[in-house]
Amino acid sequence: MTKFSRRAMLAGIAGGLAAPALIRPAAAATTLKVSTSFPNDPKFSTARIWYDLFLPRLKEATDGQVATQFFPDNQLGQEADVVNQVKLGVVDMMLVGTSIWTNVVPEIGAFDLGYIFADYDHMRRVASSPGGEAVRQLLVKKAGVHFPAWGRNLGARNFMTKFAFKEPAELAGKKIRCLPNPVVTETVKLMGAAATPMAFGEIYTGLQAGVIDGLEHDAPTIISAKFYETAKNFTLTKHIHTPFGAFISDRTMTRLPAAQRDGLIKAIQQATDEHFAKAGQIEADATAELKKLGVTISECNRGAFREHVRPMWDRFAERTPAAKPLLDAIRQTENG
């Protein structure tokens, strides 16, 4: 058994939560590699929940002619590495938030601007606008990936820390892990913390070793990755509502027969819609579970944080003029 296959097997059986890693139709014409950094948790992992919804829809939409192999827990590398693999067509699909693509397509960083969205429904209205469609086209042009459906994470991003706080001043000097993304990094910095970019797979050991004092993420992901074991304060900053979904390599799309390509897109759209509808309840369940696990859930002065972050909206517009249609759509759709 190769080193790679041992890793895949162990990741699949860890904790008794084996993923439905492979669909094996009798004569599958295509097998797609699906990668994610999210854990292999069927209850609280954004990617695993989406994937479980996707599998039956893919089988139906492609008449079983497309198989998928699921690689959770960074099995194929950290997110930045997998982005390159998707661009090259080595990995066919990546289940991830839009944030990781900002380094390649700066315009998509508008979705990470702190406090720019009222909620996830506001985000999706913007994504469905001509500005959102323009960003999808830029993903194909600049990054070589298709994004068939705008989904959501299982909650807004909040702070999980080893200390309590309510005001921006109380974050001074505190090292908070953020995505290696310039927009998210600036957001966390403006909120008052020492923003510390770090790959997802390094967070747990970073908390253990004291390299970071906390992180920002949604409640379900914090549970599935067990970050609550080393940090016990979950503060509802609700600073970012990041889109999530399936990114498909353009090279994969090009080589698929038309019927399989159409079926794949249809299945992705259906799974994303259902995932979006379920997400709010999953977030509520995860927050309640955190309480049971001994985590303190706290409110904060979100108005103060929003005022600290707001100046970056104009700076982003100046640096990224091609994002103007998207920023206009954000303002125009704020009230539904």
Side-chain angles (χ1 to χ4, degrees), residues 20 109 151 246 269:
Q269 291 172 339

Side-chain angles (χ1 to χ4, degrees), residues 37 78-79 100 157-161 174-181 184-185 188 193-204 206-207 211-217 221 227 239:
S37 64
Q78 299 292 347
E79 287 180 342
I100 196 65
R157 297 183 81 90
N158 299 294
F159 275 36
M160 184 74 172
T161 57
K174 301 297 186 181
K175 295 171 288 184
I176 303 298
R177 179 270 176 180
C178 58
L179 284 156
N181 160 324
V184 178
T185 299
V188 173
T196 307
M198 180 182 289
F200 185 87
E202 299 171 0
I203 297 174
Y204 191 94
L207 286 168
V211 174
I212 52 175
D213 300 303
L215 67 140
E216 43 95 44
H217 225 302
T221 299
F227 297 142
H239 53 286

Side-chain angles (χ1 to χ4, degrees), residues 198-273:
M198 180 182 289
F200 185 87
E202 299 171 0
I203 297 174
Y204 191 94
T205 54
L207 286 168
Q208 277 187 319
V211 174
I212 52 175
D213 300 303
L215 67 140
E216 43 95 44
H217 225 302
D218 58 79
T221 299
I222 285 168
I223 288 179
S224 62
K226 301 186 184 303
F227 297 142
Y228 60 85
E229 292 180 350
T230 50
K232 294 294 184 181
N233 293 276
F234 189 62
T235 304
L236 302 175
T237 53
K238 298 181 182 179
H239 53 286
I240 296 176
H241 293 80
T242 309
F244 167 88
F247 292 81
I248 315 168
S249 172
D250 182 54
R251 297 193 178 193
T252 299
M253 293 286 278
T254 300
R255 68 180 170 84
L256 284 176
Q260 292 184 12
R261 183 171 61 245
D262 293 345
L264 174 63
I265 292 173
K266 179 180 179 181
I268 287 173
Q269 291 172 339
Q270 290 175 336
T272 302
D273 284 345

Side-chain angles (χ1 to χ4, degrees), residues 12 69 83 147 168 191 295 309 325 330:
Q69 194 170 7
V83 161
F147 191 48
M191 290 175 73
V295 173
V309 171
I330 290 171

